[in-house]
């Protein structure tokens, strides 16, 4: 691949920037893949009916005894909360900056696992990342551009110059007329791809369809809006969701936008059910959520 091709490929990767800083040198894509694999394994285990028998005292494992508040103490999701109600309802707040995922539904105890069945509104499953929260992405782009300029002070051909111009345009605080716009979609919880999602930019007097979906990420490229046509929102149509979801855009127009989405809440997962393996810890019940961590019961 040419140097300009590498620069464009790196740009595409940066546009699908992680929803958090890398942990232990593992990038967001790797974390998302790992979380998705673990979540799929948990669902398969649950649906196969082969959940292992785990040591837990009868009284402590009874549904009425499990009704309490639980918190993740360590790891990426530290601070996440789960409340199991005595009436069989739950509420959960998963904390993974910049996305705070809330979920509500029903819970039950099945074969040594606490099973959550979400009943969430799709409208709550998408979130536009504020421009101010994307400083890490801009720092990556700035470093990429600096490395490119240091290695090759003089552009080699038109494609090389175009790659540099694209990087510089993405670093601008506002969109430059004549330049394309980018919208990247990211599910930080499962890493599910945005395959099949239709993304449209709403204009003051019409709409603008994506001209391409870039390889290597869930990034959609749009042509520059016509002169005098303000971009007012992003409209997303997810497979399995009847009505499109709309996110309003405020001035000024940015070169790119990032949308976080919860694929399972939007019915893109094989199963939205979340199974947590139940164990008895020294200080009370422990709930092991694949890809999230361990929920420990809070002191009463």
């Amino acid at each position: 691949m040419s140097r300009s091709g590498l620069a464009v490929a790196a740009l595409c990767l940066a546009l699908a920037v992680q929803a958090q800083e890398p942990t232990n040198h593992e990038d967001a894509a790797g974390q998302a893949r790992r979380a998705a694999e673990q979540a799929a394994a948990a669902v398969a285990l649950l649906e196969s009916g082969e959940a292992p028998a785990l040591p837990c005292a009868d009284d402590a494992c009874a549904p009425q005894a499990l009704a309490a508040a639980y918190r993740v103490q360590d790891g990426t999701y530290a601070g996440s909360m789960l409340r199991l109600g005595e009436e069989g309802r739950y509420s959960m707040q998963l904390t993974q900056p910049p996305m705070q995922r809330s979920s509500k539904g029903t819970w039950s105890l099945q074969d040594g696992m606490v099973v959550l069945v979400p009943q969430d509104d799709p409208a709550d499953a998408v979130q536009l990342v504020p421009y101010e929260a994307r400083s890490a992405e801009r720092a990556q782009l700035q470093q990429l551009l600096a490395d490119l300029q240091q290695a090759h002070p003089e552009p080699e051909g038109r494609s090389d110059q175009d790659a540099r111009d694209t990087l510089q345009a993405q670093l601008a605080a506002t969109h430059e007329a004549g330049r394309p716009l980018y919208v990247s979609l990211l599910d930080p919880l499962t890493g599910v791809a945005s395959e099949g999602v239709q993304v449209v930019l709403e204009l003051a007097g019409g709409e603008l369809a994506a001209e391409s979906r870039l390889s290597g990420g869930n990034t959609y490229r749009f042509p520059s809006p016509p002169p005098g046509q303000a971009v007012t929102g992003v409209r997303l149509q997810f497979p399995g969701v009847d009505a499109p979801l709309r996110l309003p855009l405020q001035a000024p127009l940015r070169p790119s936008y990032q949308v976080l989405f919860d694929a399972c809440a939007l019915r893109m997962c094989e199963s939205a059910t979340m199974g947590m393996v139940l164990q008895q810890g020294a200080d009370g019940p422990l709930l092991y959520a694949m890809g999230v961590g361990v929920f420990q019961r809070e002191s009463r």
Side-chain angles (χ1 to χ4, degrees):
M1 183 179 290
S2 66
R3 282 186 289 271
S4 59
L6 287 172
V8 173
L11 171 63
C12 297
L13 179 61
L15 289 173
V17 68
Q18 59 265 41
Q20 60 179 36
E21 289 297 316
T23 303
N24 295 330
H25 305 288
E26 181 181 22
D27 61 18
Q31 292 180 356
R33 284 193 297 271
R34 180 168 53 85
E37 291 169 356
Q38 292 174 330
V43 170
L45 181 65
L46 175 63
E47 295 180 342
S48 69
E50 299 177 355
L54 298 171
C56 188
D58 292 340
D59 290 344
C61 282
Q64 62 269 22
L66 293 174
Y70 299 81
R71 181 187 297 269
V72 177
Q73 302 294 338
D74 304 303
T76 301
Y77 290 90
S80 297
M81 291 290 299
L82 171 66
R83 296 183 185 277
L84 301 180
E86 295 181 355
E87 74 288 354
R89 305 286 301 177
Y90 81 86
S91 63
M92 179 171 61
Q93 182 79 31
L94 290 182
T95 302
Q96 189 189 36
M99 186 177 194
Q100 311 299 313
R101 176 192 175 189
S102 296
S103 179
K104 294 182 179 180
T106 62
W107 74 275
S108 61
L109 185 60
Q110 300 179 22
D111 300 324
M113 298 186 76
V114 170
V115 180
L116 308 182
V117 181
Q119 297 174 340
D120 300 318
D121 186 342
D124 298 328
V126 294
Q127 172 187 344
L128 184 69
V129 180
Y131 174 80
E132 294 75 17
R134 302 178 66 191
S135 58
E137 176 183 355
R138 291 192 293 276
Q140 289 180 349
L141 290 174
Q142 184 66 61
Q143 186 60 53
L144 179 63
L145 179 60
D147 292 344
L148 186 63
Q149 291 173 333
Q150 181 177 5
H152 306 284
E154 296 297 329
E156 298 182 2
R158 179 65 182 175
S159 60
D160 196 2
Q161 183 62 54
D162 288 345
R164 295 176 188 230
D165 291 345
T166 300
L167 285 170
Q168 289 173 333
Q170 293 303 310
L171 286 167
T174 58
H175 175 258
E176 180 182 339
R179 289 285 179 183
L181 281 166
Y182 298 90
V183 176
S184 61
L185 273 62
L186 175 66
D187 179 353
L189 300 178
T190 66
V192 171
S194 62
E195 197 72 44
V197 181
Q198 297 180 9
V199 185
V200 174
L201 289 181
E202 291 185 348
L203 305 178
E207 62 181 37
L208 197 61
E211 60 183 10
S212 63
R213 177 170 176 262
L214 305 185
S215 60
N218 300 334
T219 301
Y220 298 77
R221 174 185 169 126
F222 293 82
S224 183
Q229 283 283 356
V231 180
T232 58
V234 178
R235 191 170 70 246
L236 306 108
Q237 180 68 65
F238 288 89
V241 178
D242 295 335
L245 303 176
R246 181 182 185 276
L247 297 171
L249 297 180
Q250 306 296 330
L253 184 64
R254 307 295 186 182
S256 65
Y257 294 90
Q258 185 179 76
V259 176
L260 303 185
F261 70 102
D262 183 342
C264 292
L266 292 165
R267 304 164 194 168
M268 295 178 67
C269 298
E270 291 185 7
S271 173
T273 300
M274 185 174 186
M276 299 184 176
V277 178
L278 173 62
Q279 284 191 329
Q280 179 64 36
D283 300 321
L286 302 175
L287 302 176
Y288 288 79
M290 296 293 184
V292 176
V294 181
F295 284 90
Q296 301 180 33
R297 184 169 184 159
E298 293 205 305
S299 302
R300 296 186 179 183

